[in-house]
Amino acid sequence: MHITIIEDEKILSKNIAKKLNRNWYNTKIFNSYNEFINENNLNSDLYIIDISLNDWSWFDIIKHIRAKRDSKTPIIITSWYWDLEKKIYWLDLWADDYLAKPYSIEELEARIRALIRRSYEKTNNSEIKYNDLIFNFNEKIIKKNWVIIDLTSKEIQFVEYMILNIWKPVKKIDIINSVWWKFDEIDVTDNTINVTISKIRKKLGKSFNLKTMVNRWYMLK
């Protein structure tokens, strides 16, 4: 996932980018309106914009993004203001979320995940589109190019759990409790999970972009 950070506090922006990069996000920093506009950076999946830029041009940046890109692209605005009326006003100006400073990176990442989940195209109330896959929550089926893929019930449960937790690092034990909940952790070995993942990758190919991380963590990107 590509995230653009527009923040005039250079140390703060670097710290945010550094922490997000550690968790598999690709970030780009701009410290002013001119930097952003001149590079015409409109290929991000999400924008984090400080509304206290020195030139007070944050609203022009939002208008530029909304005019040039799909209006569903998530935008988080940040500032030192805690005033409720200001928050409501700014959220009405095409922003998707508001985060008051100082904030924790954990809260920022939780809001990023929530916005990304929300921005995924839903074909109807029971389906969600992920890359070129369509997952139907009611029928428990996965389609690729509108063709149903033959997956076992455990494979379906695994894919469903990862889609519901997209861009979130999840532990092995959390997967076991959600997919193999009838069994004890001892009965589900690393090989059990590895074999399941291998079979899913063979059936779904590169469409299922699952990353295996250190210390038995997994992330769907």
Side-chain angles (χ1 to χ4, degrees), residues 29 31 34 42 49 61-62 78 117 121 164 166 189 197:
I29 299 172
N31 297 125
N34 288 332
L42 292 171
I49 304 173
I61 293 175
I62 292 179
T78 67
R117 284 197 300 269
E121 178 188 352
L164 290 173
I166 191 166
T189 64
I197 292 173

Side-chain angles (χ1 to χ4, degrees), residues 1-210:
M1 168 188 274
H2 296 275
I3 297 177
T4 291
I5 302 167
I6 307 170
E7 165 69 63
D8 60 358
E9 295 184 47
K10 294 184 178 181
I11 295 178
L12 175 61
S13 61
K14 288 181 179 179
N15 286 338
I16 294 171
K18 184 177 180 180
K19 291 176 180 177
L20 291 178
N21 290 341
R22 287 176 180 171
N23 288 326
W24 300 69
Y25 296 103
N26 297 314
T27 60
K28 196 158 192 178
I29 299 172
F30 296 93
N31 297 125
S32 71
Y33 169 85
N34 288 332
E35 280 185 24
F36 176 76
I37 296 299
N38 289 340
E39 189 160 329
N40 196 29
N41 186 70
L42 292 171
N43 59 349
S44 287
D45 300 301
L46 183 142
Y47 295 84
I48 302 171
I49 304 173
D50 173 35
I51 66 172
S52 302
L53 294 173
N54 288 332
D55 51 11
W56 289 92
S57 56
W58 62 273
F59 185 52
D60 291 329
I61 293 175
I62 292 179
K63 287 195 296 182
H64 183 71
I65 294 170
R66 293 299 188 218
K68 300 294 182 180
R69 285 215 58 185
D70 189 328
S71 62
K72 293 180 182 178
T73 306
I75 295 176
I76 299 176
I77 57 176
T78 67
S79 85
W80 294 100
Y81 296 104
W82 287 76
D83 183 86
L84 178 59
E85 290 185 6
K86 284 188 172 65
K87 292 180 185 179
I88 294 172
Y89 173 72
W90 289 321
L91 287 171
D92 285 339
L93 293 176
W94 301 334
D96 299 287
D97 202 353
Y98 176 89
L99 196 54
K101 298 176 180 178
Y103 54 81
S104 68
I105 193 66
E106 290 79 15
E107 181 180 4
L108 174 61
E109 288 186 298
R111 289 170 183 261
I112 288 172
R113 292 193 296 268
L115 287 174
I116 291 300
R117 284 197 300 269
R118 226 176 292 162
S119 69
Y120 270 85
E121 178 188 352
K122 289 190 176 181
T123 55
N124 57 49
N125 290 333
S126 65
E127 292 183 343
I128 188 168
K129 189 172 185 294
Y130 164 71
N131 291 335
D132 58 352
L133 304 175
I134 295 178
F135 186 88
N136 188 298
F137 290 96
N138 291 340
E139 298 180 22
K140 303 298 182 186
I141 59 174
I142 295 177
K143 299 177 185 177
K144 183 174 182 179
N145 299 324
W146 301 101
V147 176
I148 297 177
I149 306 299
D150 184 21
L151 276 75
T152 67
S153 60
K154 278 289 174 279
E155 291 165 358
I156 287 283
Q157 290 177 55
F158 185 94
V159 172
E160 179 179 24
Y161 179 76
M162 296 309 301
I163 287 179
L164 290 173
N165 289 277
I166 191 166
W167 283 102
K168 176 183 178 182
V170 294
K171 299 178 182 178
K172 171 192 170 186
I173 185 60
D174 294 329
I175 294 174
I176 291 173
N177 289 337
S178 297
V179 180
W180 287 273
W181 58 274
K182 291 183 179 179
F183 304 94
D184 294 329
E185 181 183 2
I186 299 175
D187 297 324
V188 181
T189 64
D190 287 343
N191 187 59
T192 305
I193 295 179
N194 291 337
V195 169
T196 301
I197 292 173
S198 178
K199 290 180 178 179
I200 292 172
R201 283 175 170 155
K202 287 181 180 178
K203 295 176 182 180
L204 301 183
K206 295 181 179 179
S207 302
F208 191 68
N209 189 16
L210 182 73

